[in-house]
């Protein structure tokens, strides 16, 4: 098996959300079921001096997150039906819609906010790594869409060469699921769990 | 929160329904009932069976594709949910078989005691598994033994309350309360109350020190504190009502109030539980 | 390229999709046509007459260094815009008895629509003269050879029409540039001249938000930042997405005060002896007494006098002085000046944000003077203080022909030319090529524009201007949706979009490559929508100029091919039309650096600028003349780069209206285009950004609905409480759709900032001061 992985170039990402919407276009998703979401982390305090001048230590950065097709997926572990499964060839994690009962445990367990239950469809839905495109030798839609070339996809050994396994806010510590998300983090990135690592666009990632 | 309603109902009703069988087992071990009395008890056992089945129906409605539900055991061993459901199904099958046999008059005294004991043990296992199904490493606020402890507590507390009602409606509570049942039931009741309330409080309060990139545990606790305290108060009052029913065994009103309060209290406690769900990473409900 | 992705998988659009549909999928290339400063390829996967999904340019290595015309989030979502059920499908007239602005229409036949328009055109032209005909500023169809030229051609062939100069985009900067460098364009060097480790100083600019395509300047800046390890300083009252980037320092500045900061930087540069006097003496006019023109000598009129405190206002422009205006700490100003002095080269640039203010012309010039003082112009890695440049083929557009009417009004003053044309002169209203207006606008054609209301300042005022049928007697709108402007139409026409017709882009705004995009109709024409070329041909028939208009019967496709072949005759390397259509687009390798004024700097005598002096005019005699002759608020125009606060500025805030309300261009839409495409708005909703201090003081929490209001109106919008907002400000994305009951309370639930902006022109260019507003916010 060759495990597939994403590489995320945090130093390039501008938070434009093209990845998210290209995915939504291709997979015909509505707002409730984005497969990819872009998180804004931001913090800072303002000080005014006696002349009325302002200084701030504000920083901000964006992180584009879908399913990371983890080595140790939290979603498959809790899935009672094995509908959520890891492909033996590619390591991509996806939902077998004939098995899924839509219990939502994968949704609860995943610390990357990836799966959701679509009650209309009757099963959970999430990024499948554009498996059908990958099988044809194409890139996932989101990767090909990013105007900043901040997303890459390929064999994990290749992605590993480009950066570290993602371990910065707003993501969970990598130890939980060992995500196949490698990254060159923004210079502003703060560690997972940091006080300053709060998501500032909660309404956009619901 | 709305999405969790069916689950909250399931995790309220099923453990309480199961707990009632514990109370019945205790009754059988501590009291010698006449055949006539047993018949009445068996008929009134419909109540916990209905509570149990209602719980399972709620769980079923929580599923987006209940048609595929036969596949839920594929994850046995690995998936805590599969384990819970297996425990639930084993318990339910045992309980219902027991109940049918009892109704049909096929259980002699020894067989009844033995069977009731097995059902009771299975009820404890089921209650624990129901709680344990929520323990996952990636949900920091749930990943504590306090969760199964609390559900076991709910099961014992609610179960004894419901069991007392069954006995009261069967007209046998007075007899039972004269013997060892009163003390034994009281012990289980108190254990249930302590485990339930302490489990809930410890688990919920510990969340205030947690947080992730999206939410602060303290905010979750603040939001959960109303249902939590409602739950605690209702459970304490339920236990008191059950206790008084045992002491004043003629009052069916008290006996009826206890399980109703227990169900309300446990349900509120469960809502508080879901309200403090806190991922180690990103989770939006 | 047909059927290229036929096997995209049965589960793509639901597992139940029958497999047979797959074989019918075809790929059609077209392009985005709106006015966003980019132009991207849409590779449409079409099945059963509908786009199923859109890919973009994915040719070449896909590497960061290998440009692809990748569409942004808006382009990638466009199928839901094109195939929206709310599209205009039939010609309509204003309903019997309905007033303009009510939005009540009745479906009519094309014949009735065209007959009515033609007869009104005739009647109004005969009654009021050629100058009464107007083609409104509109940028909904910007990319490609077509635009609104068919309407222009029709109007020209029937006697001509009143035109405008300037744009909502950069009207102020065009004036600044004109009086400084002798050209009205706002562009300097491109980002490809950036050098290793150099310093970039940006005022009012966020190319990663305003040039979002894969070959836009946003991409180029991020690429150069990484490749050259740039250090970027981004000056903006809000921490824009460019300022948030790596290697970038954000300096928050009070909105509308960049000229004061620039003056203090000049003060530091001059008083520390860092000014490049040799450069200033050789290439510039008016830096010091010595280089002033004769007319200005002996009056302490030089820039140096102004800065050091010996000029007309006798105020030294020290960092301490500027810090109180800009709210940038004194020490930070001093440090910035030093950094700019020590850096070599330094790339100093401005976007259009700092100039879209009531004092914008002065601000534009104040920023331009900085590279002049430092001698940082004309060599690699430098810029002349204007916006970063772009590149494209010089393919001509559809020919509009010659206009017999010469008179021009500023783009912004169309409302005045309707309301009180008799008052407008060259000296009070910037009328060009005439001393005053003859008639004012009586017939208005609005093609692919929303600047009757939504995009123009003060919607509640525009409403009053437009509803008076005795003033502008006839309004035609041609659009694809029922926009707010369309509600004021007498006849409303349903257009085909560029993607639904043959189209061609030869001169995209791309930053870094020359490209051509060959657009083919993505699906058959639907409903009764008709393209503007054909509509104008029908009108031409009715007005007796059909042959001239169509040049003997040419169709849109005929013209497109002709324009292409004419261009190919001079550029034989580009593909044949057929090959081009087959491959969808054509790219030439990344173009190298463009350095502003390189030739002039190399040899100023041989290559003089087009200014009166042939040099860079720090002191402009033309501006001195304007100051002395025009009807102006005192102190609003000066011959040198200077600071004045303008109206609706920080000086005007009060207890009633203590906040500065500033707009910006947002990723969720291109102006109002695509702003009705729900999915994009859900991904990137509209928020009014507020600093936590301002929000707390008003009891406002993140996500609350707030009312933002001033004397001109009130909007409702969600608050975003963020430290990315400078205190004292509210930031509202421009372009959302106005949504108010105009016969009731007029509260705009759409959150359109132009409910709050002021319809008062800037002094010199008579432009849109749309980023200058004061007001208040309360929890709704
Ligand atoms: N407050 C404030 N106001 C501003 C600005 C600001 O910064 N602040 N910015 C200003 C600037 S820079 C500009 S350029 C203007 C832009 O203002 P406009 O030129 O009005 O641009 P849009 O709002 O995009 O409106 C374009 C219209 O074209 C329509 N359209 C799109 N495609 C087609 C088509 O194929 N055919 C037809 N017939 N119609 C089509 C759209 O539906 C829309 O109604 O706004 C200005 N307004
Ligand atoms: N996504 C998107 N892209 C677009 C458009 C769009 O609508 N959406 N419109 C396109 C068009 S037609 C145009 S003209 C351009 C417009 O391009 P710009 O005019 O450059 O864009 P703005 O967002 O108005 O301003 C750029 C930045 O200047 C800041 N700014 C505002 N006032 C001041 C000030 O007084 N001082 C300083 N230092 N900064 C200030 C704003 O906060 C903003 O971050 O964008 C083009 N690109
Ligand atoms: S498309 Fe690229 S730059 Fe834009 S948000 Fe996604 S990853 Fe970031
Ligand atoms: S990101 Fe979440 S859904 Fe994807 S494999 Fe990891 S745990 Fe599972
Ligand atoms: S929703 Fe489906 S995939 Fe997710 S855990 Fe339940 S059965 Fe598994
Ligand atoms: S890999 Fe495919 S499914 Fe996953 S986020 Fe990207 S586009 Fe969406
Ligand atoms: S809006 Fe601009 S950047 Fe986006 S696809 Fe269209 S042309 Fe490209
Ligand atoms: Mo513009």
């Amino acid at each position: 098996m060759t495990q597939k992985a994403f590489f995320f170039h945090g130093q390039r990402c501008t938070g434009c959300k093209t990845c998210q919407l290209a995915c939504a276009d291709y997979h015909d998703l509505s707002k409730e079921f984005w497969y990819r979401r872009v998180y804004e982390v931001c913090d800072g305090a303002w000080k005014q001096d006696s002349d009325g001048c302002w200084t701030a230590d504000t920083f901000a950065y964006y992180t584009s997150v879908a399913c990371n097709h983890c080595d140790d997926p939290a979603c498959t572990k809790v899935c009672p039906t094995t509908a959520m499964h890891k492909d033996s060839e590619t390591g991509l994690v996806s939902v077998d819609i004939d098995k899924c009962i839509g219990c939502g445990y994968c949704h609860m367990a995943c610390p990357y906010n990836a799966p959701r239950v679509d009650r209309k469809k009757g099963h959970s839905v999430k990024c499948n790594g554009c498996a059908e495109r990958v099988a044809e030798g194409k890139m996932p839609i989101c990767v090909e869409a990013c105007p900043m070339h901040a997303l890459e996809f390929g064999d994990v050994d290749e992605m590993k060469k480009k950066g570290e396994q993602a371990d910065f806010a707003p993501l969970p510590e990598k130890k939980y699921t060992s995500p196949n998300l490698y990254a060159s983090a923004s210079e502003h990135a703060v560690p997972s769990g940091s006080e300053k690592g709060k998501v500032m666009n909660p309404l956009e990632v619901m | 929160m709305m999405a969790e309603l069916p689950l909250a109902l399931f995790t309220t009703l099923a453990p309480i329904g199961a707990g009632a069988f514990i109370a019945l087992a205790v009754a059988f071990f501590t009291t010698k009932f006449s055949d006539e009395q047993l018949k009445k008890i068996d008929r009134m056992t419909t109540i916990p069976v209905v509570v149990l089945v209602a719980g399972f129906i709620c769980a079923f409605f929580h599923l987006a594709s209940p048609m595929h539900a036969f596949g839920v055991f594929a994850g046995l061993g690995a998936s805590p949910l599969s384990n819970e459901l297996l425990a639930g199904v084993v318990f339910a099958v045992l309980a219902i078989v027991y109940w049918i046999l009892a109704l049909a008059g096929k259980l002699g005294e020894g067989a009844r005691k033995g069977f009731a004991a097995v059902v009771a043990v299975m009820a404890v296992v089921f209650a624990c598994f129901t709680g344990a199904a929520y323990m996952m490493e990636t949900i920091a606020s749930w990943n504590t033994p306090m969760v199964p402890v609390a559900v076991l507590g709910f099961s014992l507390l609610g179960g004894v309350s419901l069991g007392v009602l069954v006995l009261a409606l069967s007209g046998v509570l007075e007899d039972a309360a004269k013997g060892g049942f009163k003390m034994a039931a009281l012990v289980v009741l108190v254990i249930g109350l302590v485990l339930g309330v302490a489990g809930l409080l410890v688990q919920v309060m510990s969340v205030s020190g947690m947080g992730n990139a999206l939410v602060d545990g303290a905010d979750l606790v603040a939001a959960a504190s109303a249902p939590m305290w409602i739950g605690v108060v209702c459970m304490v009052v339920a236990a008191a009502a059950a206790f008084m029913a045992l002491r004043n065994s003629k009052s069916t009103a008290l006996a009826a109030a206890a399980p109703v309060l227990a169900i309300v209290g446990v349900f509120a406690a469960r809502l508080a539980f879901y309200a403090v769900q806190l991922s180690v990473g990103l989770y939006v409900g | 390229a047909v059927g290229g992705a036929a096997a995209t998988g049965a589960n793509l659009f639901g597992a139940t999709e029958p497999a047979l549909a797959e074989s019918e999928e075809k790929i059609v290339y077209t392009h985005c046509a709106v006015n966003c400063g980019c132009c991207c390829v849409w590779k449409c996967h079409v099945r059963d007459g509908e786009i199923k999904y859109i890919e973009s340019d994915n040719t070449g290595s896909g590497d960061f260094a290998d440009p692809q015309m990748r569409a942004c989030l808006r382009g990638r979502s466009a199928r839901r815009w094109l195939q929206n059920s709310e599209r205009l499908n039939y010609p309509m007239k204003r309903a019997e008895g309905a007033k303009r602005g009510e939005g009540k229409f009745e479906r009519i036949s094309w014949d009735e629509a065209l007959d009515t328009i033609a007869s009104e055109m005739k009647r109004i032209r005969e009654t009021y003269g050629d100058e009464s005909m107007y083609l409104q500023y509109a940028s909904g169809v910007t990319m490609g050879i077509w635009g609104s030229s068919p309407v222009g051609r029709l109007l020209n062939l029937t006697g001509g029409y009143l035109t405008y100069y300037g744009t909502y985009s950069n009207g102020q900067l065009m004036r600044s540039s004109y009086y400084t460098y002798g050209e009205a364009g706002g562009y300097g060097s491109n980002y490809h001249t950036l050098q290793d480790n150099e310093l970039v100083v940006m005022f009012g600019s966020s190319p990663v938000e305003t040039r979002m395509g894969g070959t836009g300047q946003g991409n180029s800046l991020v690429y150069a930042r990484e490749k050259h390890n740039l250090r970027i300083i981004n000056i903006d009252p809000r921490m824009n997405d460019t300022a948030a980037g790596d290697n970038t320092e954000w300096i928050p500045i009070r909105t509308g005060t960049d000229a004061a900061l620039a003056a203090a930087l000049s003060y530091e540069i001059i008083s520390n002896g860092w000014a490049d006097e040799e450069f200033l003496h050789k290439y510039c006019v008016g830096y010091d007494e010595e280089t002033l023109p004769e007319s200005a000598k002996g009056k302490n009129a030089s820039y140096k006098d102004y800065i050091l405190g010996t000029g007309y206002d006798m105020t030294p422009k020290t960092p301490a002085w500027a810090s109180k205006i800009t709210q940038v700490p004194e020490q930070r100003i001093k440090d910035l000046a030093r950094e700019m002095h020590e850096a070599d080269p330094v790339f100093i640039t401005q976007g259009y944000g700092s100039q879209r203010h009531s004092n914008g012309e002065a601000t534009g010039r104040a920023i331009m003077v900085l590279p002049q003082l430092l001698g940082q112009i004309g060599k690699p890695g430098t810029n002349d203080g204007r916006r970063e440049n772009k590149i494209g083929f010089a393919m001509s557009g559809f020919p509009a022909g010659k206009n017999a009417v010469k008179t021009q009004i500023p783009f912004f003053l169309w409302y005045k030319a309707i309301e009180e044309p008799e008052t407008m002169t060259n000296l009070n209203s910037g009328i060009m090529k005439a001393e005053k207006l003859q008639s004012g606008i009586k017939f208005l054609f609005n093609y692919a524009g929303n600047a009757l209301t939504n995009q123009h300042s003060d919607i509640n005022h525009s409403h009053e201007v437009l509803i008076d049928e005795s003033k502008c007697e006839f309004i035609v709108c041609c659009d694809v949706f029922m926009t707010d402007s369309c509600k004021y139409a007498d006849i409303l026409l349903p257009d085909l979009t560029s993607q639904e017709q043959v189209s061609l882009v030869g001169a995209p705004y791309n930053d870094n490559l020359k490209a051509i995009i060959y657009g083919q109709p993505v699906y058959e024409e639907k409903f009764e929508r008709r393209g503007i070329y054909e509509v104008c041909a029908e009108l031409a028939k009715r007005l007796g100029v059909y042959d001239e208009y169509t040049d003997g019967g040419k169709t849109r496709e005929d013209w497109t091919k002709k324009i292409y072949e004419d261009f190919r005759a001079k550029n034989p390397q580009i593909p044949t039309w057929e090959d081009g259509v087959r491959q969808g687009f054509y790219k030439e390798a990344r173009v190298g650096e463009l350095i502003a004024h390189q030739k002039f700097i190399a040899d100023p005598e041989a290559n003089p600028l087009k200014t009166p002096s042939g040099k860079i005019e720090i002191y402009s005699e033309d501006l001195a003349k304007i100051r002395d002759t025009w009807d102006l608020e005192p102190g609003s125009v000066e011959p040198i780069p200077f600071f004045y606060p303008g109206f609706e500025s920080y000086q005007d805030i009060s207890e009633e209206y203590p906040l500065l309300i500033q707009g910006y261009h947002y990723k969720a839409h291109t102006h109002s285009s695509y702003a009705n495409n729900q999915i994009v708005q859900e991904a990137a909703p509209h928020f009014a950004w507020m600093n936590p201090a301002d929000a707390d003081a008003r009891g406002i929490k993140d996500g609350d609905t707030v009312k933002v209001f001033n004397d001109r109106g009130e909007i409702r919008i969600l608050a975003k409480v963020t430290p990315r907002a400078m205190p004292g400000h509210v930031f509202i994305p421009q372009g959302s759709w106005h949504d108010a009951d105009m016969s009731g309370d007029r509260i705009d639930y759409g959150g359109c900032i132009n409910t709050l902006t002021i319809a008062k022109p800037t002094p010199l260019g008579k432009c849109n001061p749309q980023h200058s507003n004061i007001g208040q916010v309360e929890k709704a």
Side-chain angles (χ1 to χ4, degrees), chain A residues 78 80 100-101 103 109 111 119 122 199, chain B residues 62 65 68 72 75 79 138 212-213 282:
Chain A
V78 297
C100 176
I101 53 171
C103 66
R119 293 193 75 87
V199 170
Chain B
H62 164 71
S65 263
H68 294 163
V72 291
S79 162
T138 51
N212 64 22
L282 301 165

Side-chain angles (χ1 to χ4, degrees), chain B residues 7 31 42 44 48 66 70 79 81 85 94 99-100 124 145 152 166 183 194 196 198 204 214 238 248 255:
Chain B
L7 275 188
T31 318
D42 291 339
M44 283 304 156
F70 52 80
S79 162
L81 183 57
L85 289 172
L94 282 174
W99 179 50
I100 290 170
V124 171
L152 178 61
V166 168
M183 202 50 213
V194 169
V204 171
L214 277 163
N248 177 6

Side-chain angles (χ1 to χ4, degrees), chain C residues 36 69 85 133 205 233 286 402 445 606 638 658 663 688 750 752 754 766:
Chain C
C36 93
M69 291 183 275
S85 60
M133 313 294 285
S205 189
I233 293 176
K402 280 220 155 55
F445 204 119
E638 290 293 338
C752 179
N754 282 321
K766 311 298 175 197

Side-chain angles (χ1 to χ4, degrees), chain A residues 12 17 25 40 62 136 146, chain C residues 7 79 226 241 683 720:
Chain A
R12 291 179 185 171
K17 305 194 183 195
D25 182 50
E40 177 198 3
Y62 294 98
E136 286 173 41
C146 174
Chain C
R79 77 175 159 89
E226 182 172 308
D241 285 342
K720 173 157 173 145

Side-chain angles (χ1 to χ4, degrees), chain A residues 6-154:
Chain A
F6 285 111
F7 173 72
F8 172 66
H9 215 307
Q11 294 162 324
R12 291 179 185 171
C13 178
T14 61
C16 71
K17 305 194 183 195
T18 304
C19 48
Q20 177 178 330
L21 282 151
C23 174
D25 182 50
Y26 180 70
H27 292 286
D28 203 21
L29 309 176
S30 60
K31 176 192 173 179
E32 295 80 11
F33 303 109
W34 309 119
Y35 290 175
R36 185 171 276 287
R37 295 180 180 80
V38 178
Y39 298 85
E40 177 198 3
V41 165
C42 164
D43 195 35
W46 287 78
K47 271 206 300 269
Q48 193 168 30
D49 69 17
S50 54
D51 290 332
C53 297
W54 290 104
T55 40
D57 60 0
T58 305
F59 70 89
Y61 63 94
Y62 294 98
T63 311
S64 172
V65 187
C67 170
N68 301 308
H69 307 284
C70 307
D71 287 342
D72 188 15
C75 57
T76 59
K77 267 196 238 167
V78 297
C79 178
T81 61
T82 69
M84 189 65 85
H85 67 288
K86 200 165 166 67
D87 186 84
S88 54
E89 280 303 304
T90 58
L92 294 174
V93 174
S94 62
V95 187
D96 182 338
I97 61 173
D98 295 327
K99 285 189 184 167
C100 176
I101 53 171
C103 66
Y105 264 56
C106 49
H107 165 58
M108 290 197 298
C110 170
Y112 294 91
N113 200 10
R116 297 259 164 132
V117 175
D118 184 336
R119 293 193 75 87
K120 273 204 206 109
K121 289 186 177 154
H123 55 84
S124 72
V125 294
K126 70 178 242 323
C127 160
N128 67 346
C130 285
E132 66 289 338
R133 288 177 61 88
V134 173
E136 286 173 41
K138 293 182 187 163
M139 277 291 154
I141 279 279
C142 55
V143 170
E144 234 175 48
C146 174
M148 295 299 156
H149 300 254
L151 286 173
E152 293 180 45
F153 180 86

Side-chain angles (χ1 to χ4, degrees), chain B residues 234-253:
Chain B
C234 286
M235 286 191 281
V236 170
V237 178
F243 172 65
M244 308 241 292
L246 282 169
R247 277 184 43 163
N248 177 6
S249 39
K250 281 198 199 92
S251 165
T252 20

